[in-house]
Amino acid sequence: MSQTDIYTLAGAALFVIGLYGLITRPHLIHKILALNIMSGGVFLVFVGIARRVMSPDPDPLPHAMVLTGIVVTVSSTAYALALAKRIYSETGMAALDAPDVIEEPEASSG
Amino acid sequence: MAEALLAHMPALAVVVPLVAAPIAFLAGARWGRPVALVASALSVPVAFALAWLVSAEGEKLRYQIGGWEAPLGIGLVVDGLSATMLLVTAVVGFAVTVYSLGYFADKERYRFFWALWLFLLASMAALFLSADVFNLYVCLELVSVSAVALVGLSGQRDALVAAMRYMLAAILGSIFYLLGVALLYGAFGVLDLAHLAAVLGPDVTGQAAFALITVGLVLKTALFPAHFWLPPAHANAPSPVSAVLSALVVKGSFYILLRLWTDVGDPSYVPGMGTLLGVLGAMAIVWGSVQALLQERLKMLVAYSTVAQIGYLFLLFPLVEIAGSHVVDAWSAGVFHAVSHALAKSAMFLAAGAVLSRFGHDRIDGLGGLSRRAPVTTMAFGLSGITMMGLPPSGGFVVKWLYITAAIESGAWWWAIVVLAGGLLAAGYVARVVVPGFAKARDDASDLDVDAGRLPRRMEFAALALALAALALGVLGQPVLDLMAVGSPASGVIPWTGQ
Amino acid sequence: MDWAVIALLAAVALPFATAAAIFALGEARTTARSAVNVVGAAGTAVAVLACAASAWQGRAGGPLASAGIGLLDIGFGFEADMLGAVFAVVAGVLWLVTTVYAIAYMSHSPDRARFFGFFSICVGSAIGIALSENLITFFVFYEMLTLATYPLVVHSGTPAALRGGRTYLMYALPAGAALALGVVWLHVLAGPVSFVPGGALPLGLAATHPVQLTAIFALLMLGLGVKAALFPLHGWLPAAMVAPAPVSSLLHAVAVVKAGVFGIARVVLEVYGPDAALLGLTLPLAALAAFTIVFGSVRALAQDDLKKRLAFSTVAQLSYIVLGVALASPLAIAAGIAHLAHHAALKITMFFTAGVVAEEVGAYRVSELDGLGRRMPVTMAAFSVAALGIVGIPPAAGFASKWLLGTGALDAGAGWVVAVLAASTLLNAAYFFPIIHRAWFRAPRAEWATGPDPGRAEADLRMVVPLVLTALAGLAMGVLAGAALSPARWALFVAVMEAM
Amino acid sequence: MYEALHMPMVDPSAATAVLVFALAMAPLLAAAACALPPTRRIGPLLVAVAAIPALAGAVLLPDATGEIAWLGIGVHVALDATSRAFLGLAGVIWTAAGLYALVTVETRRPRFFGFLALAMAGNLGLTVAIDPASFYTLFSMMALSTYVLVAHGPVRADEDSPERAADARRSGRTYMVFTVTGEAVLLSGLFVLVTGGVPLVPLAAVLVLVAFGIKVGTPGVHGWMPVAYAAAPPAAAAALAGSMSTSGVLGIVRFAPGGTDLPIGIGVAVMAFGLLAAFAGALVGVVQREPGVVLAYSSVSQFGLMTIGVGAGLTSPGLWPLTVLAATVYAVHHGLAKAALFLGGDVATRATRRGWAVALTALPALALAGVPLTSGSVAKIVLKEVTAAAPAPWHAALDTLLPLAAVGTTLLMVRFCYLVWRAPRPDGAVRRTPALAVAAWAALLVPVATVIWLWPAADAVRYAAETSFTPYYLWLATWPAAAGIAVAAAVWAGRAWASRFEGVLEPGDAYAPLFARMHAFIDRREERVSGTAAPATPAVSAEERRPVAATLLARSGVWESGLLAWATATSAIGALTVLLLLLAVRG
């Protein structure tokens, strides 16, 4: 098993673990963290890929992309956290409750 | 001078709103409005100029920002498809801006709207112009973040929760997309779309990358069953935002799918993928329409209509795969649907917003006599409904025509049935809104406040103009069809069949 | 631009322009709106007549005035041909008459801007249908007509009206879907289909694709049959009678329903042509039409509601046109085409009358019409003339149609049609004569005999004059059927072209 | 009109033909005068004289043919011997009837005279319109306008009542049912005739004969005749019996495909029906109680005689021209006599002292019976010329039977005169019969007596007229009448016994119960339609069906709320991912 494969498999594992958390954990902070774990997984895959190029020096482009990705993830995480905080202050809980559209449906006219 | 300006048109399309956004932010509650108006108004001629350039050139235009070549520089590519999407974005954007000037009468509370709105426009433009898959990822994120911010703008509880759902779904989609990009790069070592198209070959990693990217974009496009975030987000956002989300934002991720599956690769690259997407599209059409029939609130109804209409976009994929000589029809149908739905759905949301902001509610069973109280708005809603139903003369009809043609030509008539059934279901939910409008006025029973003030005319007429534009596409759509074909499969060069 | 092309474009565009102006003027400006409406209708009438003139000029195979817009390979095109001119003139000229009637009739109704606006759109769509050069354009206007009619059906906004409107849509929209499928399918199979006398299908297509062409024909008939009120697709028409009288008059006796039969004529004669008979499609269509004739008449017998009785009569009469077209001999085709005009003038008179009667004396049922002839003799005389005309009593126009149809049927070797005509005549007489009888021979209702003038009291002249004019037209079209430019004569020209 | 597609032929006599047709249409102006308020007062007078121009045309104008292409679907007009005879007949009768009506009809005058004029125009016009469509058009116009005349009710204001008006309307209804049926059959027949081609000629013949058979009261389809004749005002009845029914004969003459090789069975059947009519009409007629009904059955019987002639003519193509002549002569003779009888009967019953009137009425009665020196004697000889050529068993049988029919006719005439004589005298203030009415009737007697001797240019008629003075024919004409009178005398002698047969058959005979049932049915039906036509409600309301659909819809809403839940939705994404990756890997 090459180094690349280890990175890739670890990345995939993180991705799946994150997805699992995202699905099952109701708390918003957990969900945001789960997403971060998934992102981490993706970055690992990227880093692994950088090594796959048949040259002694790793390909710099994936690293550049990972950096960009990290920036994007950090900012969106920050925004998500702010949103979660705001939701907590508005509703007193940090979870996605059932959206109000799911009230008891009844036959409507038309 | 003029030529120099023309040469930089692709950049201008992004730069104008991008520069205007911070200015609007800094200009504050009062002066942000004219800044946004000017910027979005400027975007329209820029988009037209680009469209003209592309048409005149007859093929893809490449533009390297700062003169840096790929792979290091950021390249912008304009072909017919991009120009079309830019044009729609500019036109809808301008109409929504005009509408918003009336809608956000409470200037202080919505002071951030203008900057976010311009950011959204800028990132949409950048998305449609991006030449490589990673830049597309960045744009996608920018679009998502500004869109989420706009959804939560009112700060109300439902809106915030909806924004959060949207945010989580959007990030999840982006992560899937990014993973796909990583695999793609791993498999082929290039990111530029054109390069990718050149080197794409049968490769498990590449196919897996396509699959993951598709999952991410399906999520962002809210294709059934991944539509879970869309109705609350679109229904609880301020109406101009709803309009843009339904009309443009979901089209952004669809645009990337289109690029990947028809420009870079083709649906047969992953056997069964086209059919699967088509089946999901068909399910979306039926399910979304049925849910629209059930909704009690107008904006929810319109949001579910979007869920249904998104389904039509995805019928493109199976038909492109099997339509033989009518592949152009199938492709054009999908793209044309993106255009006509953008116009009609924004009109519909703007009309719904007008009702909501004038009468203070949008309960469908309280809309009796609407056509009498708000004739222009009702007409805007009804006319955009015609496009939803796919009846002539409307853009929706052209879409239906092309899809059915492709379906019959390829012997897959069941897609034609889906298209037609969707039209009938659309008639059902449009009628739910329009029909009570004709009910006899009974002042004691109507939920429409007689004393509610008049809406600003520009709100009503912005909606009407968009609806009329959607109708006009059904008769005068040929230039749009010509434009979208430039440099695309529809131009006669069909890469995936090697012709 | 040639005057004929200007007339052609004006005929289609003027009603829409009128509609736009009416919507723009809004509810309050009644006088301006009425003026715009009348001027628009008059202009349209002139334009359609000019179209007819240009069609007449080009009848011998000369170039026809045409115009269009391209879209994909389908294209929207208009052309002033002989067949289209019939329907265009009927719709356009009767619009003018109906406008005058409607302005008076609706003078106390709310939402008049909406009403007259959509009314204009309906007429514009009908004229567009008439002057369409190809199946696509036809379909576009056909669907526009479907939608534009809806607000008029539900105009009063009562629950009954909304129900009627819903029934209408339940029929019309799926029909539109079937039509769309048929049109596209045909387009895929045969390429762009322009209407050509004698059929437009590529040579040999019927031999190579009989099953597809049959299926397409069925779809087209399904789509067109709803507006044409062919059994069993007729159910919406009686339900739509909740609409105000001008709508029932112009749209549900002329423009909308005739759009369906006109479409059938176009498809059978100018798309399928001889292939229709070759594929064995005309006989079932003729049989269905024949059944509808009898069925509609039988149902009409049982209606006490005057407008419903008229509606079922329309169901039956429309199938005369279909029958004529399906029989496909020159005389039968001529009968169908002529009946398009004949029935229009006669039936619109009857609906005008029904409206006047409902408005003036509050009578909605046949059983409430006793002695009405004495109260409004002019109105009821016009009604009686029209009724006799529909029954086919000469010399009113209905007879000319019937004569052509009967002889045409035998020409086509369909002797059984004569029996249908005979049965239809008897049934028509059975449901119309009692009305005439009540109006003229029964003692008037007591409340009319009281009051200052126990004798007669006609309605507003703006309503009476139109219905007298249409009745006279119905009479003249029969009396002068042989005269140059009469509908029957015109129809014979068309039929000869079609059958060549 | 289909010929009209080609250039119309220019005919030198076309102008004359157009003129004849225009003269025949003159009553339309009179009808318009009745309809329009300013001229309403003089309308009836105009109607009364409206047939005179056509009559003048029939007498004065030369033979002519022509076409009026623009009118209707092309009107072909011909003034030939046949049309001249029928136009003359119609002109005379309508003038007499019009003048008679002018002074006797007191109720609902504008309507009555308006429709009288329409019927008149139709009747006059159809005599010269020789193409099927125009003939049918005018025939319908005549027949349908007559409804108003039949349903008119009492003509005298003092006798008018809602009940009697309602009775008249029922009679009108009966008339209408037969007429409209006849129109439908006729139209079908004409269609077949015009375009059916040779194989369908027999069918055309049958349809045309049935249609016109209704008009002339052929047994089986005769039911309307006694009802309508009795119900119509006398002037209208005179026109109906004398001229309008007779146009049925014209129709047969014009459109029955005589002169072609028809299956012989058709001719034979026609003869059989004619015989049945001749005898049954007489038998049923003599037991009637009303003079009008007796005259109606007499018409059934008389038209039966003409029908026998037609039947004989149909059996052999060469015989047809003579048949046409015989039918024409007989129709004119019968028409004039019958009209005179109707008017005379009314003049007599209006009078308290009516001896003179009955005596004068006997003149046309004798003519019908065919006694020597009357038109009947000649007409019967002409008819006999045709029947003599009938196939084998028939001509012999007819030789025996026709005189017997004349016995029946005589009986009917005696019965009629008796009924008129015995009719209740008007009580109270004696109303004088207007002089103009008497004059109109008296004037009608002149052609009754003379026309046959003045018949222009027909050898057969001249020959028959001469022959009628030979002893054999004198005897042949006399004995049936004498026998009839003898039988009548015998009946009178045994009247105590015979009176039990009086009224044993209702007017309409076999049809009478059917009519009663029909009226009851229609009346009931009208009640029901108007009673139950509740405001339009759909049979199955949408609300009733709603629950099922609503349940399904509601359930889909619940499912949707499941789909919207975060966990399900993201699980679905996960599943989708797996599915897509599987697709990708498999590919």
Side-chain angles (χ1 to χ4, degrees), chain B residues 43-55:
Chain B
S43 300
V44 177
V46 169
F48 270 103
L50 262 180
W52 179 77
L53 274 176
V54 169
S55 300

Side-chain angles (χ1 to χ4, degrees), chain D residues 32 85 117 131 160 245 347 389 400 407 462 540 586:
Chain D
D131 65 295
D160 203 12
S245 295
V347 168
T400 320
V407 175
R462 205 165 306 137
V540 184
R586 194 202 59 180

Side-chain angles (χ1 to χ4, degrees), chain D residues 99-499:
Chain D
L99 290 170
Y100 195 89
L102 182 65
V103 288
T104 54
V105 176
E106 298 164 9
T107 51
R108 301 177 279 276
R109 278 169 71 90
R111 191 174 84 189
F112 182 84
F113 282 95
F115 283 92
L116 195 71
L118 286 178
M120 189 189 296
N123 192 178
L124 294 172
L126 67 83
T127 59
V128 293
I130 56 166
D131 65 295
S134 314
F135 183 91
Y136 174 80
T137 299
L138 294 155
F139 191 78
S140 304
M141 190 162 114
M142 172 189 82
L144 295 177
S145 309
T146 305
Y147 167 77
V148 179
L149 309 180
V150 172
H152 182 79
V155 292
R156 287 170 61 162
D158 54 352
E159 290 174 355
D160 203 12
S161 71
E163 292 73 29
R164 294 193 56 178
D167 282 348
R169 286 205 303 270
R170 283 165 166 246
S171 304
R173 186 189 280 160
T174 306
Y175 169 80
M176 207 57 171
V177 167
F178 280 85
T179 298
V180 174
T181 311
E183 307 277 301
V185 178
L186 177 58
L187 189 59
S188 315
L190 293 179
F191 283 150
V192 179
L193 188 67
V194 170
T195 50
V198 175
L200 289 182
V201 166
L203 175 63
V206 169
L207 289 172
V208 166
L209 287 167
V210 169
F212 289 123
I214 292 176
K215 204 79 208 156
V216 300
T218 300
V221 288
H222 65 293
W224 65 275
M225 209 176 230
V227 176
Y229 277 23
L240 179 57
S243 183
M244 294 198 275
S245 295
T246 308
S247 53
V249 177
L250 177 62
I252 294 175
V253 164
R254 286 243 193 267
F255 300 109
T260 57
D261 278 317
L262 284 180
I264 198 152
I266 292 180
V268 169
V270 170
M271 282 196 285
F273 271 103
L275 269 179
L276 180 62
F279 287 97
L283 285 177
V284 179
V286 290
V287 302
Q288 298 302 323
R289 289 179 166 149
E290 277 187 66
V293 179
V294 172
L295 288 185
Y297 279 107
S298 160
S299 283
V300 169
S301 170
Q302 292 290 307
F303 282 124
L305 292 176
M306 289 177 248
T307 309
I308 294 171
V310 168
L314 287 173
T315 56
S316 134
L319 200 55
W320 189 247
L322 183 60
T323 310
V324 170
L325 180 67
T328 306
V329 169
Y330 205 101
V332 170
H333 139 72
H334 167 257
L336 288 170
K338 193 53 64 65
L341 284 170
F342 264 106
L343 295 186
D346 189 54
V347 168
T349 46
R350 280 167 173 266
T352 319
R353 300 156 60 86
R354 51 181 68 153
W356 57 275
V358 176
L360 272 178
T361 303
L363 181 67
L366 288 172
L368 278 188
V371 300
L373 299 178
T374 63
S375 56
S377 67
V378 180
K380 283 182 182 179
I381 293 172
V382 183
L383 195 64
K384 203 163 159 11
E385 289 174 34
V386 179
T387 54
W394 284 89
H395 72 90
L398 289 175
D399 264 1
T400 320
L401 291 172
L402 286 183
L404 286 179
V407 175
T409 304
T410 311
L411 275 174
L412 278 177
M413 289 302 107
V414 173
R415 174 73 178 161
F416 170 72
C417 291
Y418 166 74
L419 286 175
V420 168
W421 175 258
R422 213 196 56 180
R425 263 64 176 168
D427 46 31
V430 176
R431 293 166 53 116
R432 290 183 63 84
T433 309
L436 185 58
V438 180
W441 166 56
L444 191 55
L445 293 176
V446 176
V448 169
T450 59
V451 71
I452 203 77
W453 314 110
L454 301 174
W455 199 275
D459 292 341
V461 181
R462 205 165 306 137
Y463 169 77
E466 287 158 13
T467 315
S468 68
F469 291 102
T470 60
Y472 171 69
Y473 279 104
L474 282 176
W475 164 243
L476 201 63
T478 312
W479 81 256
I485 291 170
V487 172
V491 169
W492 176 253
R495 61 185 176 278
W497 171 82
S499 65

Side-chain angles (χ1 to χ4, degrees), chain A residues 19-56:
Chain A
L19 184 58
Y20 178 78
L22 183 69
I23 294 171
T24 53
R25 294 308 184 106
H27 198 281
L28 284 178
I29 302 295
H30 290 184
K31 285 193 194 298
I32 294 166
L33 285 175
L35 282 172
N36 272 299
I37 292 170
M38 288 178 80
S39 300
V42 174
F43 298 146
L44 269 185
V45 172
F46 248 124
V47 170
I49 281 168
R51 259 298 181 198
R52 271 180 55 164
V53 186
M54 291 307 144
S55 101

